[in-house]
Amino acid sequence: MSARDLLLPLIAVLVLAGLAFSGLSGTLLNLLIFMMIISLAAQGWNILGGFGGLSSFGHAAFFGTGAYTTLILQTSLGVNAWAGLVAGVLLGAAVGAGIGFLSFRSGLKGSYFALITLAFAEVLRIASNSAPITGGAAGILLPLDYGFLNLQFDDRRWFALIAILFVGAALALTRWLERSRFGAYLIAIRENEQAAQALGVDVFRVKLGAITLSAGCTALAGVLYAQNYLFVDAHVAYGPWISIEALFAAIVGGLGTMFGPLVGAVALLGLGEITKMVSGGVPGVDLLVFGAILILTVAFVPGGLMSLRQRLTGRRRPRGETALRSEEGA
Amino acid sequence: MYSPLIVAEALLNGLMLGAVYALIALGLTLIYGVLHIVNFAHGALLTVAMFGVWLLAEHLGVDPYLSILIMAPAMFGLGYAAQRFVIGPASHGSDNSILLVTLGLSIIIENGLLAGFRSDTRTIDTDYAFQVVELGPLLLSFPRVVGLFVALLSALVLWAILERTDVGRAIRAVAKEKLGAALVGIEVSHVYAVTFALGCACLAVAAALLMPVFYVSPTTGRAFVLVAFTIVVLGGMGSIVGALVGGLLIGVVEAACSLFFGDSLGQIGIFVIFILVLLFRPTGLFGARQ
Amino acid sequence: MTKMTGQTRRTILKGGVAAAAAATLGAPTVLRAQPAAVKIGLLQPMSGFLAQAGDLASIGAQFAVDEINAAGGIKALGGAQIELLIGDSKSNAEAGAQEVEALNEAGVVAIGGGFASGISLTATQAAARHDLPFLVDSATADSITGRDLANTFRLGPNFSMATEVALQNLIKLNEAAGNPAKTVALVHEDGLFGAGLAQVMQEKLPGLGFEILETISHPTPARDMSNVVLRLRSLQPDLVIPSHYYNEFVLMARTMQQQRVRPMGVYAVFGGAASSYQFVAEYPEAAEGVFDCNHWGDPSNPTDAELKAAVEAQGKHYAYNTPINYSVVKVLAEAIEKAGAADRAAVTEQLRTAEFGSGVMPYGTTKFGEDGQNVNALPLNTQVQDGKINVIFPDQFAQSTPVFPVNG
């Protein structure tokens, strides 16, 4: 990975930061923050689902672990928010490694993998809804207390900036994945697992590494979410909504591409707001549109929005296309 | 602890509810057995059927049980169209894409219903909803007794269709040997759609059996999706007998869990079974193939 | 009066960006020929599983706004009209906080409502970010007030206040009948509301001479109550004390009827359906005799009957959400009147120090304590008698005498 590889992530950060400080209204700024958080969750999903070809329906398990960890540490142990952030990411990654260890050891993939991740997230949701440590159904509320160490800002633009910087870091991580040997192994497994194994790739370890990285990134999204709303409960943390939004953003944006999840999150959430506005606030219309877009994407643009750009500039064979069709004929 | 009478009644309750679960799972496992796809929209399609039953009762005064005669053909048609014109063409035959397309479909259905009906819960009020059948000292809920018998009868009908009709023979042929079936002139995409439609018809019957004792809201089907998947995985993906036995078993397990651990944690039991079976015996109790 | 109708003044926020587009700066322009309307926000679950509550609440709030506007608006502001902006919390805590942001952008002076405890906890905190005074209606968790949030006030009684009253009245009820009831089963939903109430009951009931046979929890929404009722049938408690939301209460009451479980009394505290006219109208047999200790309008106040008529005119069934949100708006309007400015800090200061009326709630005057809790808040005890919800305690509001044991 060279300095040139970091140029695009850097430009993205500068553009987004410029936007955050361009005098957006409070509501638009909140929307931008939310886009960044979903984009991070989707960037996590993309590592496993896009590069590794393993579709998870349960990334909520990681998101929620990150969110709960930081709030529990802050409210009951008085740990500062940044330490909570690190702990949240690490614990989220550990949950990812645990689920990955069990699933990959049993050779689960495809639909089976999707279903088991969903089941794990649901178990966590039900358990956290009654366990005392997670505040039961009441959830956990973090008291309002501005300060850099508390990761709470009177001026929300600073929080937006921090979220943007993390998105930039995740972009750089994805770029590294594209360039590294580890990433190459992962893509090889996605394309043809038997062949990769025959060539000496340690399939189990590479997959385990991918889910750990993926979970950590999504857990970071959970930490930022909790820090932004200062509240988490079982539905917010482990509910299916975040698994679905992460998956949507990654697929619509373009699987296995660096900018796909970011572009997908911005496009979908922006479109969601517009639909809500046009429909006059009828509940569910935004998600209805998301569902339709998902089907259309899978049917007609398997490479997502990023492949549209590549088609326009004449580059061929978008990565995502093979990601979605990899199991064809298998 | 509880008197044996109470435990017996709880387990019987579970068994009767399990029969309806089995019916839901039957559709899912049939679709898997023939099309080899995991239909994630199964729960949302159940919700559609439940709303159908509710609409017929609310606006036309049709008894929920009688509405089977209308809803089963309607859901058959809907299922046929969904497979033939949406799922089949959009997914290019890849496993992962089918999963995503059916996920997208379930989100469209759920939110379409949400936009149309809002998230209120709706129930049908019938004279018999809270009647009981007295079996010695046991008080059994009348709609559940009906549920048990109609579910078993439907399974029998499904079995007869598969075993005794030309369509059934074609379905079995495609399930066994897709290429061979195509070579002898069976139109595979038509058979696929018919299979999917049969699965949806099972949902219509299940919906009619559930509505007198249950409510419907746009997300109701979600609660049943994982239960149905658990049954299918437990019974062995694609196994009809497995789905029946698995359904009854899960019903009893759920009742026992909620009696002894409370309703809140009782649901975890099902997911834990699901995870354990997937991890340690992915072929299930009756499934030979995967 | 301007020509605006109730419908046009009642603006439902349509989503973040829409609100932003419509946002005007909330700078008050006092003493103009046509004084600018004063915006008050109402945060209620207009969609989601609590939507029914939000709907009834908004009727009450709008009724108060119409009444104030018809009487000449806010006089201290030259007769400025009140505009009610309704934010939909979608029945969840996170969306509630987001709607507060939207209401803030839309330039409201104060927010009322909240309804559920989880939503109120996050919403008041979100409002605190903008120094927006927030008057909570019926959410009961003790922790809502007393968090050092200067903007947060609560009109209705909290958990501790209500359970204390409920237990005193329960003892009175039991003593008057010669203490027949000795055993209790608690049935509660596993959320903040139900679990919190069950915990208080578990702590207090044994000291009052009741034996708790079992505490049964269930999730919301519940699919089926037959196992819960089976356990009740096995335990044979004298009293069942339930705490859950509407659907679950109805399901339990009907299943109890089916399974022939007939305790001496069903004594709800903040019961989801026990004092809802919908339940009474739809299932009169299951509802008959049920007790509740809940938010309830003063039956001797004529406005209460008007509110009930207004709800029924829309083909809906009356419940406490309407009178308490009517009262929330009345108190907020009085605070703005006293502050003499549509200014958040001034309104907060008034709420902190002054005394107010209590709308149709039976509180006498409203006075907020150091923590923001209305010290005079009081729940009423009701019983369903011959298809009517009658107040039975306290005596000065009682419409009839209690019937206990119910299945004697």
Side-chain angles (χ1 to χ4, degrees):
Chain A
M1 189 150 114
S2 65
R4 236 185 104 237
D5 287 331
L6 289 176
L7 193 63
L8 280 175
L10 190 67
I11 292 173
V13 166
L14 289 176
V15 169
L16 288 166
L19 196 63
F21 282 85
S22 67
L24 292 182
S25 74
T27 312
L28 285 177
L29 192 63
N30 282 338
L31 181 63
L32 180 69
I33 292 173
F34 193 60
M35 282 172 172
M36 292 305 108
I37 291 171
I38 297 299
S39 143
L40 262 178
Q43 283 172 307
W45 197 92
N46 187 39
I47 295 172
L48 188 66
F51 289 92
L54 287 157
S55 291
S56 148
F57 277 16
H59 259 51
F62 319 133
F63 182 88
T65 303
Y68 267 125
T69 304
T70 184
L71 289 200
I72 290 171
L73 287 177
Q74 288 180 70
T75 51
S76 47
L77 297 178
V79 170
N80 95 39
W82 290 92
L85 182 145
V86 173
V89 171
L90 290 179
L91 208 62
V95 168
I99 292 177
F101 179 81
L102 289 171
S103 318
F104 300 144
R105 206 191 49 127
S106 306
L108 296 182
K109 50 190 167 187
S111 323
Y112 286 91
F113 180 72
L115 290 176
I116 203 164
T117 48
L118 175 63
F120 272 115
E122 284 292 288
V123 166
L124 287 171
R125 183 179 64 80
I126 296 168
S128 65
N129 199 45
S130 40
I133 186 172
T134 49
I140 299 175
L141 188 80
L142 185 66
L144 194 65
D145 188 6
Y146 299 130
F148 180 76
L149 285 180
N150 293 336
L151 200 47
Q152 294 183 33
F153 303 92
D154 194 10
D155 184 344
R156 290 212 159 186
R157 288 177 298 183
W158 296 110
F159 189 83
L161 183 66
I162 287 171
I164 289 165
L165 288 174
F166 279 124
V167 168
L171 288 173
L173 176 75
T174 314
R175 171 62 59 162
W176 166 80
L177 201 64
E178 284 179 337
R179 296 281 186 264
S180 70
R181 183 175 290 266
F182 172 75
Y185 287 161
L186 192 57
I187 292 168
I189 292 171
R190 177 187 79 195
E191 298 295 326
N192 190 334
E193 187 168 326
Q194 274 86 17
Q197 195 151 26
L199 289 172
V201 175
D202 186 341
V203 171
F204 179 74
R205 270 189 61 186
V206 171
K207 281 185 180 177
L208 200 59
I211 196 172
T212 309
L213 214 55
S214 167
C217 190
T218 301
L220 177 61
V223 170
L224 292 181
Y225 186 96
Q227 210 62 46
N228 187 40
Y229 292 103
L230 306 177
F231 173 77
V232 65
D233 67 10
H235 172 77
V236 165
Y238 291 124
W241 71 277
I242 182 65
S243 303
I244 289 173
E245 296 220 357
L247 168 153
F248 271 24
I251 292 177
V252 170
L255 280 177
T257 62
M258 178 173 70
F259 278 116
L262 176 60
V263 170
V266 170
L268 277 179
L269 294 175
L271 189 67
E273 286 302 319
I274 294 169
T275 346
K276 272 192 264 181
M277 211 158 70
V278 172
S279 69
V282 177
V285 176
D286 49 337
L287 284 168
L288 187 108
V289 173
F290 289 5
I293 290 178
L294 178 70
I295 294 182
L296 293 174
T297 306
V298 173
F300 301 111
V301 213
L305 290 172
M306 293 307 288
S307 75
L308 285 183
R309 193 189 64 97
Q310 282 159 340
R311 274 187 206 178
L312 288 177
T313 53
R315 275 199 268 165
R316 288 163 63 201
R317 198 181 169 277
R319 288 159 196 274
E321 195 137 16
T322 51
L324 270 172
R325 291 186 172 171
S326 60
E327 280 166 82
E328 215 168 351
Chain B
M1 252 0 267
Y2 301 105
S3 70
L5 201 66
I6 298 288
V7 175
E9 201 166 302
L11 296 185
L12 264 177
N13 269 337
L15 194 74
M16 292 187 291
L17 192 60
V20 180
Y21 287 170
L23 194 54
I24 299 168
L26 218 52
L28 199 61
T29 207
L30 179 69
I31 293 168
Y32 184 84
V34 179
L35 283 74
H36 302 283
I37 67 169
V38 171
N39 175 23
F40 203 76
H42 210 62
L45 286 164
L46 174 68
T47 317
V48 170
M50 289 172 83
F51 266 106
V53 173
W54 177 78
L55 281 173
L56 285 174
E58 185 76 8
H59 295 293
L60 299 174
V62 181
D63 181 88
Y65 294 140
L66 282 179
S67 68
I68 292 177
L69 299 176
I70 303 167
M71 284 310 296
M75 286 302 293
F76 186 92
L78 183 72
Y80 189 94
Q83 165 62 27
R84 186 95 199 229
F85 304 117
V86 181
I87 303 172
S91 54
H92 313 296
S94 109
D95 182 24
N96 212 13
S97 301
I98 290 169
L99 194 62
L100 294 174
V101 169
T102 54
L103 171 72
L105 204 59
S106 75
I107 285 163
I108 292 177
I109 293 172
E110 259 185 25
N111 290 286
L113 291 171
L114 180 66
F117 294 97
R118 304 300 154 112
S119 53
D120 310 346
T121 54
R122 292 160 204 270
T123 51
I124 298 177
D125 217 14
T126 55
D127 298 333
Y128 49 77
F130 284 84
Q131 273 174 15
V132 287
V133 176
E134 292 191 42
L135 191 73
L138 301 174
L139 299 175
L140 302 179
S141 152
F142 171 74
R144 291 190 177 206
V145 175
V146 173
L148 176 69
F149 286 108
V150 175
L152 292 179
L153 188 69
S154 310
L156 205 66
V157 170
L158 188 67
W159 177 82
I161 291 175
L162 289 177
E163 290 295 319
R164 295 288 141 91
T165 65
D166 286 342
V167 176
R169 276 186 278 275
I171 289 175
R172 282 184 296 136
V174 171
K176 269 219 180 69
E177 186 50 70
K178 186 171 120 185
L179 279 178
L183 282 177
V184 297
I186 296 173
E187 196 193 341
V188 174
S189 60
H190 171 69
V191 170
Y192 273 6
V194 168
T195 310
F196 200 92
L198 277 175
C200 289
C202 289
L203 288 179
V205 179
L209 297 178
L210 281 171
M211 274 317 284
V213 278
F214 207 62
Y215 59 81
V216 60
S217 79
T219 51
T220 300
R222 268 192 211 168
F224 293 95
V225 166
L226 275 176
V227 175
F229 276 123
T230 308
I231 293 166
V232 168
V233 168
L234 187 67
M237 289 274 215
S239 160
I240 301 234
V241 180
L244 264 182
V245 177
L248 297 174
L249 197 64
I250 286 293
V252 171
V253 168
E254 189 188 48
C257 277
S258 75
L259 188 65
F260 292 106
F261 305 118
D263 281 355
S264 302
L265 281 174
Q267 317 164 52
I268 282 194
I270 291 177
F271 298 127
V272 170
I273 291 177
F274 182 64
I275 290 172
L276 291 179
V277 172
L278 268 185
L279 289 179
F280 298 107
R281 196 179 158 76
T283 51
L285 300 177
F286 295 85
R289 61 160 174 259
Q290 192 190 330
Chain C
M1 273 292 284
T2 61
K3 270 167 63 186
M4 284 196 286
T5 67
Q7 274 310 309
T8 56
R9 275 196 307 275
R10 173 177 162 181
T11 317
I12 297 188
L13 289 184
K14 292 208 169 78
V17 178
T24 48
L25 286 173
T29 38
V30 194
L31 296 176
R32 275 205 330 214
Q34 280 259 283
V38 176
K39 290 175 183 161
I40 293 182
L42 181 75
L43 183 75
Q44 288 291 344
M46 303 306 292
S47 61
F49 74 105
L50 302 172
Q52 210 173 20
D55 192 31
L56 289 175
S58 67
I59 295 173
Q62 188 60 46
F63 195 95
V65 168
D66 291 343
E67 193 181 272
I68 294 163
N69 286 343
I74 305 279
K75 298 189 180 67
L77 296 175
Q81 299 276 295
I82 293 176
E83 186 183 348
L84 188 67
L85 299 182
I86 298 177
D88 178 9
S89 64
K90 304 186 179 71
S91 305
N92 79 66
E94 168 222 349
Q98 280 172 337
E99 276 305 298
V100 168
E101 296 289 339
L103 287 169
N104 170 56
E105 296 263 318
V108 298
V109 179
I111 300 179
F115 180 62
S117 293
I119 298 171
S120 304
L121 280 168
T122 56
T124 48
Q125 191 157 280
R129 275 181 191 275
H130 306 290
D131 299 318
L132 241 174
F134 197 122
L135 181 55
V136 175
D137 55 352
S138 54
T140 49
D142 285 1
S143 54
I144 292 172
T145 49
R147 280 179 299 158
D148 290 330
L149 291 181
N151 70 321
T152 304
F153 303 90
R154 169 165 43 203
L155 184 63
N158 63 21
F159 249 4
S160 310
M161 298 164 83
T163 44
E164 197 162 314
V165 173
L167 290 172
Q168 277 168 12
N169 289 343
L170 178 61
I171 291 167
K172 245 162 76 179
L173 195 67
N174 203 22
E175 272 175 359
N179 284 324
K182 293 182 176 57
T183 57
V184 176
L186 302 171
V187 181
H188 69 90
E189 64 104 27
D190 59 11
L192 180 56
F193 155 62
L197 195 83
Q199 197 187 340
V200 177
M201 290 290 168
Q202 277 172 324
E203 284 163 11
K204 300 238 164 118
L205 280 174
L208 299 170
F210 291 99
E211 185 198 348
I212 297 177
L213 296 178
E214 184 142 352
T215 305
I216 306 169
S217 86
H218 64 80
T220 303
R223 277 193 262 175
D224 168 31
M225 283 280 172
S226 56
N227 279 318
V228 169
V229 174
L230 266 178
R231 287 160 86 173
L232 292 179
R233 211 171 100 200
S234 154
L235 296 163
Q236 298 287 345
D238 298 332
L239 282 172
V240 173
I241 300 188
S243 48
H244 27 220
Y245 294 105
Y246 185 84
N247 286 318
E248 286 69 27
F249 191 103
V250 172
L251 200 57
M252 185 189 76
R254 295 187 71 194
T255 312
M256 280 172 71
Q257 204 191 341
Q258 175 193 47
Q259 298 278 330
R260 298 168 200 173
V261 177
R262 299 189 189 95
M264 288 178 196
V266 175
Y267 191 88
V269 181
F270 292 132
S275 49
S276 155
Y277 268 103
Q278 180 175 3
F279 177 51
V280 177
E282 287 177 0
Y283 307 107
E285 278 176 54
E288 191 59 30
V290 170
F291 295 97
D292 196 9
C293 181
N294 212 330
H295 311 287
W296 198 246
D298 175 359
S300 60
N301 187 325
T303 309
D304 190 50
E306 282 175 39
L307 285 169
K308 183 162 182 267
V311 169
E312 282 165 1
Q314 294 196 22
K316 289 161 184 164
H317 295 286
Y318 197 52
Y320 66 80
N321 313 76
T322 311
I324 199 166
N325 279 283
Y326 167 87
S327 309
V328 159
V329 171
K330 291 289 269 192
V331 169
L332 285 177
E334 200 181 334
I336 295 168
E337 186 78 70
K338 286 191 161 132
D343 174 71
R344 293 173 181 183
V347 172
T348 304
E349 185 54 28
Q350 286 301 319
L351 287 168
R352 183 149 302 287
T353 52
E355 283 194 15
F356 305 91
S358 63
V360 285
M361 301 311 283
Y363 308 154
T365 57
T366 293
K367 172 90 187 91
F368 298 103
E370 287 272 300
D371 58 354
Q373 170 63 43
N374 177 7
V375 292
N376 297 328
L378 176 78
L380 299 185
N381 260 82
T382 59
Q383 185 179 26
V384 180
Q385 298 172 335
D386 295 325
K388 195 172 173 299
I389 300 173
N390 286 330
V391 175
I392 51 167
F393 294 126
D395 296 338
Q396 74 260 36
F397 298 109
Q399 294 166 289
S400 69
T401 49
V403 178
F404 185 78
V406 177
N407 301 299

